PDB file of all heavy atoms in Angstrom:
ATOM      1  N   ARG A  23      20.160  15.935   4.233  1.00 98.00           N
ATOM      2  CA  ARG A  23      21.276  15.196   4.855  1.00 98.00           C
ATOM      3  C   ARG A  23      21.692  14.021   3.971  1.00 98.00           C
ATOM      4  O   ARG A  23      22.852  13.667   3.893  1.00 98.00           O
ATOM      5  CB  ARG A  23      20.845  14.696   6.242  1.00 98.00           C
ATOM      6  CG  ARG A  23      21.953  14.810   7.287  1.00 98.00           C
ATOM      7  CD  ARG A  23      21.458  14.434   8.680  1.00 98.00           C
ATOM      8  NE  ARG A  23      20.532  15.408   9.231  1.00 98.00           N
ATOM      9  CZ  ARG A  23      19.309  15.128   9.686  1.00 98.00           C
ATOM     10  NH1 ARG A  23      18.846  13.900   9.689  1.00 98.00           N
ATOM     11  NH2 ARG A  23      18.544  16.078  10.183  1.00 98.00           N
ATOM     12  N   ASN A  62      -4.177  31.005  -0.793  1.00 98.00           N
ATOM     13  CA  ASN A  62      -3.438  32.214  -0.411  1.00 98.00           C
ATOM     14  C   ASN A  62      -4.341  33.449  -0.421  1.00 98.00           C
ATOM     15  O   ASN A  62      -4.655  33.971  -1.493  1.00 98.00           O
ATOM     16  CB  ASN A  62      -2.298  32.384  -1.432  1.00 98.00           C
ATOM     17  CG  ASN A  62      -1.528  33.668  -1.221  1.00 98.00           C
ATOM     18  OD1 ASN A  62      -1.397  34.130  -0.093  1.00 98.00           O
ATOM     19  ND2 ASN A  62      -1.035  34.239  -2.311  1.00 98.00           N
ATOM     20  N   GLN A  65      -3.789  36.720  -2.746  1.00 97.00           N
ATOM     21  CA  GLN A  65      -3.976  36.832  -4.195  1.00 97.00           C
ATOM     22  C   GLN A  65      -5.448  36.949  -4.599  1.00 97.00           C
ATOM     23  O   GLN A  65      -5.758  36.898  -5.786  1.00 97.00           O
ATOM     24  CB  GLN A  65      -3.275  35.692  -4.927  1.00 97.00           C
ATOM     25  CG  GLN A  65      -3.846  34.320  -4.697  1.00 97.00           C
ATOM     26  CD  GLN A  65      -2.926  33.218  -5.240  1.00 97.00           C
ATOM     27  OE1 GLN A  65      -1.881  32.936  -4.674  1.00 97.00           O
ATOM     28  NE2 GLN A  65      -3.316  32.600  -6.342  1.00 97.00           N
ATOM     29  N   ALA A  67      -8.903  39.349  -4.391  1.00 93.00           N
ATOM     30  CA  ALA A  67      -9.485  40.645  -4.018  1.00 93.00           C
ATOM     31  C   ALA A  67     -10.676  40.372  -3.106  1.00 93.00           C
ATOM     32  O   ALA A  67     -11.234  39.265  -3.132  1.00 93.00           O
ATOM     33  CB  ALA A  67      -9.931  41.385  -5.272  1.00 93.00           C
ATOM     34  N   ALA A 138       7.457  33.369  -3.318  1.00 98.00           N
ATOM     35  CA  ALA A 138       8.802  33.648  -2.785  1.00 98.00           C
ATOM     36  C   ALA A 138       8.943  33.017  -1.400  1.00 98.00           C
ATOM     37  O   ALA A 138       9.971  32.413  -1.075  1.00 98.00           O
ATOM     38  CB  ALA A 138       9.039  35.157  -2.719  1.00 98.00           C
ATOM     39  N   SER A 220      -1.672  29.949 -40.895  1.00 96.00           N
ATOM     40  CA  SER A 220      -1.787  29.831 -42.351  1.00 96.00           C
ATOM     41  C   SER A 220      -1.781  31.208 -43.032  1.00 96.00           C
ATOM     42  O   SER A 220      -2.072  31.311 -44.221  1.00 96.00           O
ATOM     43  CB  SER A 220      -3.007  29.000 -42.736  1.00 96.00           C
ATOM     44  OG  SER A 220      -4.159  29.662 -42.308  1.00 96.00           O
TER      45      SER A 220
END
Side-chain angles (χ1 to χ4, degrees):
R23 219 174 290 125
N62 175 32
Q65 67 191 73
S220 64

